Amino acid sequence: MLTEKYSFHNYIKQLVFRGILLSGILSFSLSSFCQTTPIFHVPQMETSSANVIKELEQKSGWVISYSSRLCLKEKTIFPEGNRNLTEHLTILFSECDFEYIIRKNRIILKLAEPEGKLFTISGFVSDKITGERLPAANIYNPDTYLGTISNNFGFYSITMSEGMHRIRASYVGFSPVDKIITIKNDTIIHFALTSSIQLQEVPIIGYQYPELKNISGMGVFVVPIEEIKNRPALLGEADLIKNIQVLPGIQGGFEGFSGLYVRGGGGDQNLILLDDVPVYNIGHLLGFFSIFNADAVKHVAIMKGAFPARYGGRLSSIIDIRMNEGNNEKIRGAINLGILSSGISLDGPIKEKGGFAISGRRTYIDAITALLQRNSSERANYYFYDINTKFNYYPNHRNRLYLSFYVGRDRYYTTYNYVNIISETGQFRERINDENSVGWGNLATSLRWNFLISNKFFSNLTFSYSNYGFNVDVLRNNQIDNLWGSFLQRYQSGIKDFNVKLDFDYYHTKGILSRFGANVVHHIFDPRVDFIEGKNETGENYSILEDEQLREQEYHVYYENEFNIGSRFNTNLGVRTIMFSGEKKYYYSIEPRWFSRYILTPHINLRSSAGIMSQYIHLLNSSNISLPTDLWLPVTDKIPPMRALQTTIGIDFFFGKKSDYSINVDFYCKWLENIISYKESSSFFDYSTNWEDKLTTGKGISYGTEFLLSKNSGKLTGSFGYTLAQTTNTFAELNNGAPFPDRNDRRHDISINMNYRFNSKWDMGALWLFGTGTPISLPSTKYFAPDFPFQDSNSGRGHSVSVTAINGYRLPEFHRLDMGFNYTWNKKWENLLGFGVINAYGRQNPFVLYYASNNGTNQHSPQRTLEQISLFSFPIPYLKYSIKF
């Protein structure tokens, strides 16, 4: 029963309209390369099959050539009807299994070749050195281009006819492996691939290799981890998220921050999964660095348009991150030293039945700062750490267990007002101080069981728990009547998820891959917990606790099919249904998803996709950067779920002797509904009203073109990306109802990324970024408004400002050049020394613009000066060192 205030009927009407529009676009796209047969009417006939064919030729104007081996009849009853030519022929030869070929206005009919015996080839794709499974690897026949993709656990299954075949397995960053086999029965074949980083030829960022054009890749970008580690890095910290930001259509917001804003969407519209566990905050050091330790990560896949039905709950993108499973062959490790932090990682086998991987890193800012402030009466400090752990155990070839664990924490604190307490006898008793601290962090853990039901049927059961929270603590000491007392006030908020998920992959005989499953999520939201505790010297204690907690459930069910139509066209069709159970209301959505690829020529692929997405949780931002005070909250009776419809059309070109170069172009449009914002008079710090009453809902539209040119092999590799886009929002209660640019609207965005390998020891990398300035709201006028009637302008008080347009101004253009060199050598172990500079030419990119007030001499015309704050206004050198053993 639909009880939501939001009009679902209006949504369906708009959806139907957009569906018609999408169908028109797709029809135009397909008609450009598909020839259809004419539609015409024929009366009922009772004659021979040959005479029916003559009548069809006369009515259609087409030539029909056919084999005498077809099931021709001397007398047949052909029904009346208005159909296209192929439908007429299908009815005429309904008792025959025939094939046809269209050549201009000619159709050629022949008996279908009988199929030989079919057998199933299945197995796992893994890293040859470590034994770790490789997700999203391609397994195919390079002669026919028919194949499949391994799932998230490296499993694949493919059906082939009896006889000799060549099978190839490939994975981004690894050298492909070919095997020639003679198939006589169902066979298990495992592939072990070797990293091609060692061969100095590796795709930097991009789609799959051109010879894989007939395998549906779902528009997935894969970022090789080794390339991330070797790129220029702020303070020597290899940052996974900052490397994702260089992709077309993805930006990081303000300079230096590890945010993700995809195709105009907000940071909360990205589903970021760490081993299938949602992560709600991805920033260390207030977002300057991401929480993902590159030493702990094995695979990163980014989907920004074509969402498979197996993913849901967000509107803009999927970032699927898989942790290292552990080396199943031998013990290995690495130590990384940087200016900001250092880390260590270790992995290895467990009794020939499994493996483990453990990594951790921590800053030493607090230790250095403590030394510098040891004689200061006021101290401020900060630290962060994170730990990744993963175990895998396989008792036999059909079963495998995974246990993953991540914990990360940030803490900033200040101490001041130091006081020595003296007893009544004049003896020193203790030293006390006041303290403020802010802490935030994530905990994510999962237990997964892979069970191979058959050589075609794969299952995975996942239990996971995610916990993100932050707290603000204030400790105060006071003296009343010569007695010292203290109180602690704590404000905390967060979100916890308990998730149970069951997924199945079934590989059909005809090359169809079916995925289906369900999951249940129990959310616990803590939008506010206030805790006050006090005590005094007399022993009296008191405490006050105010806890506002919300418990909600999400239920997901999905089904998708991936299959080929002929030898050139493949597609993925799916649907996801979601029901959200709130305190009083139930919301639901039905979300169809579609992706297709057509091989126009051996070097040109056409892609198109469309999908509906819904989101049942919101992030309330208190500023333009990601702060720990941002609140995660569910939909309510007053706040409906966000919804989006996105369509994409793309084209891929591959050229060069070995298709060394590729060009990817995407055109997209995304409509959003029920996006939220604070009202003009409200903010996070407004305690006078309930949080629901501070918000208003609106709609948005984002559209653009994304271009990516890549050079994928050789000594010089790299990419050039360009995005032309626009994102506009409309809220009835904001900006007088007029549309305004979204704060993530960036009209032009350019990234040039290059890497050159001089020899086996030296390589260099360079990254240049450019972007149109971020939209901001600035006051347009300042006027004298005294607090009291008797005040005048000379008081220096009583001025107000007026903002006439939301996001009516833009920061100046952003651009920056980062450069770095890496020197690698092997003595006993592999060593890497990296050094370089961030912001090489010292560009003063704006972080904040503000007006500096100056009343001047005229009380009616106070003067203002627009000032700029830059975070990195000068070149910042970095140095890093790592050793692998």
Side-chain angles (χ1 to χ4, degrees):
M1 179 178 179
L2 186 65
T3 59
E4 59 184 292
K5 189 175 181 180
Y6 169 80
S7 175
F8 186 73
H9 295 289
N10 290 337
Y11 176 72
I12 290 298
K13 290 179 182 178
Q14 295 181 31
L15 187 60
V16 170
F17 171 77
R18 293 168 182 172
I20 294 173
L21 178 63
L22 174 62
S23 299
I25 294 173
L26 297 177
S27 299
F28 175 80
S29 302
L30 292 175
S31 65
S32 64
F33 53 80
C34 294
Q35 185 177 7
T36 58
T37 57
I39 300 175
F40 55 91
H41 180 270
V42 295
Q44 180 173 319
M45 292 178 282
E46 187 173 345
T47 182
S48 66
S49 297
N51 288 336
V52 173
I53 291 174
K54 290 180 182 179
E55 180 70 13
L56 296 179
E57 285 184 320
Q58 181 180 354
K59 293 281 187 179
S60 66
W62 280 43
V63 175
I64 303 174
S65 301
Y66 58 94
S67 168
S68 60
R69 296 170 57 196
L70 290 172
C71 49
L72 299 169
K73 297 181 179 179
E74 290 296 325
K75 186 176 182 180
T76 184
I77 299 176
F78 190 79
E80 179 183 6
N82 189 56
R83 297 175 285 264
N84 64 39
L85 178 57
T86 54
E87 290 173 333
H88 286 303
L89 292 171
T90 299
I91 292 174
L92 178 62
F93 296 111
S94 59
E95 298 179 9
C96 296
D97 188 9
F98 73 97
E99 298 173 345
Y100 64 87
I101 301 173
I102 296 177
R103 301 279 175 81
K104 293 187 177 179
N105 290 345
R106 181 187 184 94
I107 186 168
I108 304 170
L109 309 179
K110 64 177 182 177
L111 279 175
E113 293 295 330
E115 291 186 350
K117 292 183 179 180
L118 298 177
F119 297 102
T120 299
I121 310 301
S122 62
F124 290 90
V125 184
S126 61
D127 185 322
K128 184 176 183 179
I129 296 176
T130 67
E132 292 184 297
R133 303 285 171 80
L134 298 178
N138 296 278
I139 304 91
Y140 63 102
N141 185 328
D143 301 315
T144 63
Y145 298 131
L146 296 177
T148 188
I149 296 176
S150 66
N151 66 12
N152 284 333
F153 302 94
F155 176 77
Y156 78 93
S157 178
I158 187 171
T159 300
M160 292 185 171
S161 60
E162 184 178 15
M164 182 177 292
H165 294 272
R166 183 160 62 111
I167 302 177
R168 176 175 297 171
S170 67
Y171 181 73
V172 174
F174 284 71
S175 300
V177 171
D178 285 14
K179 290 188 178 183
I180 298 176
I181 60 173
T182 300
I183 301 175
K184 295 182 179 180
N185 47 41
D186 291 347
T187 306
I188 296 175
I189 297 178
H190 301 306
F191 287 91
L193 308 186
T194 302
S195 173
S196 60
I197 298 289
Q198 302 167 0
L199 305 179
Q200 292 90 46
E201 291 192 9
V202 56
I204 300 301
I205 296 177
Y207 294 101
Q208 291 141 359
Y209 289 99
E211 66 265 24
L212 311 182
K213 52 189 173 295
N214 199 39
I215 301 174
S216 177
M218 295 301 299
V220 177
F221 278 97
V222 176
V223 184
I225 296 300
E226 289 300 323
E227 288 297 324
I228 292 175
K229 295 179 181 179
N230 292 342
R231 285 184 183 163
L234 179 62
L235 298 179
E237 285 291 313
D239 198 308
L240 184 151
I241 297 299
K242 285 190 174 67
N243 282 271
I244 293 175
Q245 291 172 359
V246 305
L247 294 173
I250 303 178
Q251 56 173 289
F254 288 87
E255 180 187 16
F257 287 89
S258 292
L260 282 178
Y261 304 96
V262 180
R263 291 181 172 175
D268 62 330
Q269 295 178 14
N270 308 301
L271 178 60
I272 301 175
L273 298 171
L274 182 63
D275 272 355
D276 279 336
V277 185
V279 179
Y280 288 96
N281 183 282
I282 62 172
H284 281 313
L285 195 59
L286 296 176
F288 279 101
F289 303 98
S290 74
I291 66 171
F292 303 108
N293 185 350
D295 289 329
V297 175
K298 173 183 65 177
H299 173 82
V300 183
I302 301 102
M303 289 157 272
K304 57 181 178 176
F307 288 11
R310 59 188 180 274
Y311 297 103
R314 299 294 189 275
L315 303 185
S316 291
S317 75
I318 308 295
I319 313 294
D320 196 346
I321 302 170
R322 302 283 161 169
M323 292 167 52
N324 289 327
E325 297 174 4
N327 193 321
N328 295 332
E329 303 298 327
K330 62 179 181 178
I331 296 286
R332 66 173 185 175
I335 298 174
N336 294 283
L337 304 177
I339 297 175
L340 178 72
S341 68
S342 292
I344 185 170
S345 61
L346 187 70
D347 63 340
I350 301 177
K351 295 183 179 180
E352 299 182 353
K353 285 292 184 178
F356 72 92
I358 300 175
S359 62
R361 60 177 174 169
R362 193 189 190 282
T363 62
Y364 23 72
I365 296 176
D366 53 336
I368 297 173
T369 306
L371 290 175
L372 297 176
Q373 298 179 138
R374 62 183 182 274
N375 296 321
S376 175
S377 59
E378 294 186 359
R379 301 176 184 177
N381 224 323
Y382 167 83
Y383 68 84
F384 76 75
Y385 69 86
D386 51 50
I387 299 172
N388 296 79
T389 304
K390 189 171 182 178
F391 299 92
N392 73 89
Y393 175 70
Y394 49 98
N396 52 57
H397 75 283
R398 288 190 176 274
N399 293 272
R400 193 161 190 149
L401 295 171
Y402 296 90
L403 177 62
S404 304
F405 178 80
Y406 166 84
V407 62
R409 185 72 178 170
D410 289 68
R411 184 170 180 245
Y412 171 78
Y413 57 95
T414 60
T415 57
Y416 52 95
N417 291 340
Y418 284 87
V419 176
N420 293 325
I421 299 180
I422 306 300
S423 67
E424 294 180 356
T425 61
Q427 299 293 322
F428 173 80
R429 194 174 66 187
E430 63 178 315
R431 182 177 173 86
I432 63 174
N433 63 276
D434 295 341
E435 182 176 329
N436 295 340
S437 69
V438 180
W440 64 96
N442 295 276
L443 186 151
T445 183
S446 66
L447 175 63
R448 290 176 291 171
W449 173 35
N450 292 173
F451 177 55
L452 189 59
I453 301 173
S454 71
N455 56 3
K456 295 183 180 181
F457 204 2
F458 182 92
S459 68
N460 178 64
L461 176 63
T462 303
F463 299 91
S464 67
Y465 171 71
S466 176
N467 184 353
Y468 165 67
F470 78 85
N471 63 275
V472 179
D473 293 353
V474 178
L475 175 65
R476 292 289 186 271
N477 296 278
N478 51 56
Q479 187 180 25
I480 301 176
D481 297 331
N482 293 322
L483 293 177
W484 281 96
S486 66
F487 72 90
L488 170 66
Q489 182 175 7
R490 167 172 290 190
Y491 180 94
Q492 63 186 46
S493 181
I495 177 174
K496 303 180 185 70
D497 282 353
F498 298 87
N499 192 348
V500 179
K501 186 161 70 83
L502 182 59
D503 301 289
F504 296 96
D505 296 350
Y506 185 74
Y507 298 80
H508 298 263
T509 302
K510 294 292 185 179
I512 300 173
L513 171 57
S514 294
R515 295 185 176 98
F516 53 95
N519 70 294
V520 179
V521 186
H522 178 70
H523 299 288
I524 301 177
F525 298 88
D526 289 312
R528 188 192 72 188
V529 178
D530 284 321
F531 175 76
I532 301 176
E533 182 181 34
K535 63 180 180 178
N536 55 42
E537 288 186 318
T538 64
E540 296 179 1
N541 295 285
Y542 62 89
S543 63
I544 302 173
L545 176 64
E546 293 185 9
D547 189 0
E548 181 181 347
Q549 195 173 84
L550 303 173
R551 296 174 179 267
E552 320 288 352
Q553 287 80 37
E554 274 188 72
Y555 305 90
H556 296 240
V557 178
Y558 72 90
Y559 181 83
E560 64 178 80
N561 268 338
E562 188 170 329
F563 54 92
N564 294 319
I565 301 176
S567 61
R568 294 193 173 196
F569 185 82
N570 66 348
T571 189
N572 184 298
L573 295 173
V575 63
R576 189 178 191 93
T577 61
I578 304 177
M579 186 178 74
F580 188 90
S581 172
E583 291 184 333
K584 296 180 180 179
K585 288 190 175 183
Y586 289 89
Y587 292 95
Y588 70 89
S589 62
I590 300 175
E591 304 174 5
R593 312 282 178 82
W594 169 73
F595 173 86
S596 67
R597 177 178 292 168
Y598 182 80
I599 305 172
L600 187 61
T601 73
H603 297 285
I604 300 177
N605 290 342
L606 301 177
R607 293 176 285 105
S608 55
S609 67
I612 296 174
M613 289 74 70
S614 299
Q615 184 167 326
Y616 292 85
I617 58 177
H618 303 283
L619 182 65
L620 301 186
N621 296 108
S622 56
S623 73
N624 284 341
I625 61 175
S626 178
L627 295 175
T629 51
D630 296 342
L631 301 179
W632 285 95
L633 294 164
V635 299
T636 67
D637 296 353
K638 297 181 181 180
I639 307 297
M642 295 187 289
R643 303 186 191 274
L645 168 64
Q646 182 171 193
T647 62
T648 305
I649 295 177
I651 185 168
D652 305 322
F653 300 92
F654 305 98
F655 53 97
K657 291 183 179 180
K658 296 182 180 180
S659 296
D660 298 327
Y661 298 88
S662 64
I663 293 177
N664 312 112
V665 183
D666 283 78
F667 306 91
Y668 75 90
C669 188
K670 180 167 61 176
W671 296 269
L672 300 112
E673 295 181 347
N674 299 330
I675 55 178
I676 64 171
S677 175
Y678 279 111
K679 296 178 181 178
E680 291 181 341
S681 60
S682 299
S683 72
F684 169 78
F685 298 101
D686 175 15
Y687 296 100
S688 62
T689 58
N690 184 276
W691 66 269
E692 293 175 278
D693 299 324
K694 303 174 188 177
L695 305 178
T696 183
T697 60
K699 59 183 179 180
I701 183 171
S702 180
Y703 53 90
T705 302
E706 299 166 356
F707 174 89
L708 181 66
L709 168 65
S710 303
K711 184 179 186 299
N712 301 318
S713 61
K715 287 191 172 183
L716 176 65
T717 57
S719 64
F720 169 80
Y722 172 68
T723 303
L724 173 65
Q726 182 171 354
T727 304
T728 305
N729 295 334
T730 304
F731 289 79
E733 298 184 75
L734 298 179
N735 208 46
N736 296 318
F740 58 89
D742 186 87
R743 71 177 184 177
N744 301 314
D745 176 59
R746 182 175 289 181
R747 198 61 44 86
H748 302 282
D749 194 87
I750 299 174
S751 65
I752 301 176
N753 172 56
M754 294 186 297
N755 183 275
Y756 186 80
R757 181 168 291 278
F758 299 96
N759 49 49
S760 60
K761 293 185 177 182
W762 281 97
D763 71 271
M764 72 162 292
L767 175 64
W768 187 76
L769 302 172
F770 172 87
T772 303
T774 301
I776 59 172
S777 298
L778 287 177
S780 57
T781 58
K782 179 180 180 181
Y783 55 90
F784 177 61
D787 296 332
F788 301 100
F790 53 79
Q791 283 185 334
D792 58 33
S793 61
N794 294 327
S795 66
R797 296 162 41 187
H799 287 98
S800 297
V801 296
S802 173
V803 177
T804 57
I806 295 179
N807 294 338
Y809 297 86
R810 286 185 181 270
L811 296 174
E813 288 81 4
F814 160 86
H815 53 89
R816 191 186 77 219
L817 173 65
D818 302 336
M819 299 181 65
F821 293 84
N822 296 304
Y823 178 66
T824 306
W825 74 97
N826 290 297
K827 209 165 187 180
K828 184 177 181 181
W829 296 312
E830 180 181 329
N831 298 264
L832 184 145
L833 177 66
F835 57 92
V837 62
I838 303 298
N839 195 14
Y841 52 82
R843 163 70 175 178
Q844 295 190 25
N845 289 304
F847 178 64
V848 173
L849 293 183
Y850 68 97
Y851 282 109
S853 299
N854 182 2
N855 292 336
T857 58
N858 188 342
Q859 65 177 1
H860 301 294
S861 302
Q863 298 177 0
R864 301 179 302 159
T865 303
L866 190 61
E867 303 287 345
Q868 171 181 307
I869 296 177
S870 299
L871 289 180
F872 309 118
S873 57
F874 51 87
I876 303 175
Y878 75 85
L879 180 68
K880 62 180 180 180
Y881 171 74
S882 66
I883 180 170
K884 296 181 180 179
F885 55 88

